[in-house]
Amino acid sequence: MGRLPDRTGPGRGVGVIPRRPCDPGPPGGHTPRDPRHPARDPPAPGREERPAVPDTPADGVERRLPTDEARELLALVRDIARREILPSAAAEEAAGHFPRELFALLSRSGLLGLPYDPAYGGGGQPYEVYLQVLEELAAARLTVGLGVSVHTLSCHALAGFGTEEQRAAHLPAMLGGGLLGAYCLSEPSAGSDAAALRTRAVREDDGWTIDGTKAWITHGGIADFCTVMARTGGPGARGITAFLVPGDAPGLEADPPERKMGMSGSPTAQLRFDGVRVPDARRLGGEGQGFAIALDALDSGRLGIAACAVGLAQAALDAAVGHARERRRFGRPIADFQGLRFLLADMATQVEAGRALYLEAARLRDGGRPFGRCAAMAKLFCTDAAMRVTTDAVQVLGGYGYTADFPVERFLREAKMLQIVEGTNQIQRVVIARHLVGPESR
């Protein structure tokens, strides 16, 4: 396993974060008024003081990490989460602000290329470690954890299927040069049925011209590069090829971001390709290999979503436990009541089970063993668990949980998205069943 590269600047080690003032809110000068919780306003005169809810990364999570380097890495991530992510998370989500400056910090700290080869600027970390980093980031703010997962997914095709010349030319900037990626597979009429995509790439001279529309693209409109699946041959999966397209390519335009029920800080948009020219040197893999490349990437990407779901669920559990300990009714903490204690116990069990499942899939992957079935199980279970845990966290907080003064309602809205992205949970069941009993009869 390679060492995590030092990209924190001259004279700085990997465990040192470049100092900059924490921005408590989005551009425009809004500062949350209660320093204990960025989403919480102080009570109005005469109104009951509300109990504080901890909104911190899961420092109490017991992690079994393979090396001292991995332990130092997780400590660095938790420090970044505490000092750079949490203070502004609620306000920036409310304002729909994407923290591009934070992703630059993550890049300088070596966190945007963790599972890739150090020869190209990656961190050389196993998935067992990388996914726990994602979990910590998502516990602090899902926009950040999911953004790192999508960026890593966007680098997969080049890292796994590109030529040596392509990797040397592009990967160092993608992994550690401050760039941000987008993964372009889905289309308005090709979501779960991705093999039906219509975006077409036509060979012209020494390159390709791409025309079509991609939908539901995370980082759409702000990405520096896009991994794009386009049709170069006939219908079906074997007619698809992968391309690496610059984000500023002439003819590539983004629609306004979708108005979503959650994840407002993470832009999701349609991308329109109108005569976008791409040299053949940016074709990844062979012609007709694109769909296989896409599925290979999604197996790993689903593990990223599972880890993010566990991080979100852990944050909701922490908020619920903190509230139950502090909130008093009938002369004692509400944590004394058996009905609530059982609810918290069930929540904690789901979080731990989800973590164990995604780590088992990661270890299979790291050991070079088939992991697609386990990855689908992890994505399915962890995201369903996140939905249940965040819903129960709202219940624990009662009326307070339903207000934007506390983070758990935001967690609930964000959890719903995780059941949809990178293959809906219905599709995960299809994948699992095919592993068990084979493909459906035609």
Side-chain angles (χ1 to χ4, degrees), residues 243-279:
F243 297 90
L244 182 65
V245 180
D248 60 355
L252 175 56
E253 300 290 341
D255 285 356
E258 305 287 352
R259 297 184 298 168
K260 309 188 296 288
M261 67 181 284
M263 296 288 291
S264 298
S266 176
T268 305
Q270 287 195 355
L271 293 183
R272 300 185 183 276
F273 295 76
D274 184 8
V276 174
R277 291 280 297 161
V278 179

Side-chain angles (χ1 to χ4, degrees), residues 44 83 98 148 189 223 230 280 327 417:
R83 295 204 284 114
F98 180 75
V148 174
S189 59
D280 191 57
R327 181 73 166 166
M417 181 272 299

Side-chain angles (χ1 to χ4, degrees), residues 126-128 360-371:
Y127 254 64
E128 177 186 3
E360 172 62 18
R363 290 168 185 137
L364 288 174
R365 186 190 189 283
D366 292 337
R369 298 170 61 188
F371 69 99

Side-chain angles (χ1 to χ4, degrees), residues 133-196:
V133 168
L134 282 188
E135 183 191 329
E136 291 284 345
L137 294 173
R141 184 179 177 189
L142 185 57
T143 285
V144 178
L146 183 78
V148 174
S149 180
V150 169
H151 174 81
T152 304
L153 176 71
S154 304
C155 299
H156 183 96
L158 175 59
F161 298 89
T163 65
E164 176 61 32
E165 292 76 12
Q166 288 173 324
R167 294 189 190 109
H170 302 295
L171 263 185
M174 292 162 62
L175 301 182
L179 302 186
L180 189 66
Y183 185 76
C184 301
L185 175 62
S186 295
E187 298 184 0
S189 59
S192 294
D193 186 11

Side-chain angles (χ1 to χ4, degrees), residues 189-236:
S189 59
S192 294
D193 186 11
L197 65 83
R198 298 177 181 176
T199 295
R200 179 162 290 278
V202 177
R203 184 182 282 277
E204 295 183 1
D205 300 326
D206 60 346
W208 302 81
T209 300
I210 302 177
D211 290 279
T213 301
K214 293 296 180 178
W216 311 112
I217 305 304
T218 301
H219 304 153
I222 65 170
D224 299 297
F225 65 91
C226 304
T227 297
V228 179
M229 306 300 162
R231 188 164 302 285
T232 56

Side-chain angles (χ1 to χ4, degrees), residues 225-429:
F225 65 91
C226 304
T227 297
V228 179
M229 306 300 162
R231 188 164 302 285
T232 56
R238 296 182 180 180
I240 297 170
T241 301
F243 297 90
L244 182 65
V245 180
D248 60 355
L252 175 56
E253 300 290 341
D255 285 356
E258 305 287 352
R259 297 184 298 168
K260 309 188 296 288
M261 67 181 284
M263 296 288 291
S264 298
S266 176
T268 305
Q270 287 195 355
L271 293 183
R272 300 185 183 276
F273 295 76
D274 184 8
V276 174
R277 291 280 297 161
V278 179
D280 191 57
R282 283 181 170 265
R283 172 177 49 83
L284 303 176
E287 292 184 41
Q289 193 182 3
F291 195 70
I293 292 173
L295 294 184
D296 188 79
L298 286 174
D299 277 345
S300 297
R302 285 166 182 159
L303 293 182
I305 299 302
C308 286
V310 170
L312 184 66
Q314 183 71 58
L317 173 63
D318 292 344
V321 169
H323 179 87
R325 285 173 172 167
E326 295 189 14
R327 181 73 166 166
R328 298 183 66 85
R329 280 296 175 265
F330 306 101
R332 53 180 171 160
I334 64 172
D336 281 355
F337 296 102
Q338 187 180 68
L340 191 141
R341 296 171 77 89
F342 282 6
L343 186 61
L344 293 174
D346 288 344
M347 294 163 67
T349 301
Q350 291 177 78
V351 172
E352 290 292 346
R355 183 176 294 120
L357 185 53
Y358 87 63
L359 285 174
E360 172 62 18
R363 290 168 185 137
L364 288 174
R365 186 190 189 283
D366 292 337
R369 298 170 61 188
F371 69 99
R373 182 181 74 163
C374 200
M377 289 177 172
K379 198 276 183 182
L380 168 64
F381 182 88
C382 294
T383 58
D384 279 354
M387 194 71 234
R388 289 191 294 269
V389 170
T390 55
T391 300
D392 288 344
V394 171
Q395 192 71 20
V396 171
L397 269 70
Y400 295 140
Y402 196 66
T403 71
D405 294 343
F406 292 84
V408 290
E409 63 83 28
R410 170 165 58 90
F411 297 160
L412 186 153
R413 290 184 285 109
E414 292 174 342
K416 185 64 211 175
M417 181 272 299
L418 295 174
Q419 293 180 303
I420 300 171
V421 297
E422 294 194 30
T424 66
N425 283 7
Q426 288 68 37
I427 290 296
Q428 304 314 311
R429 290 177 171 91

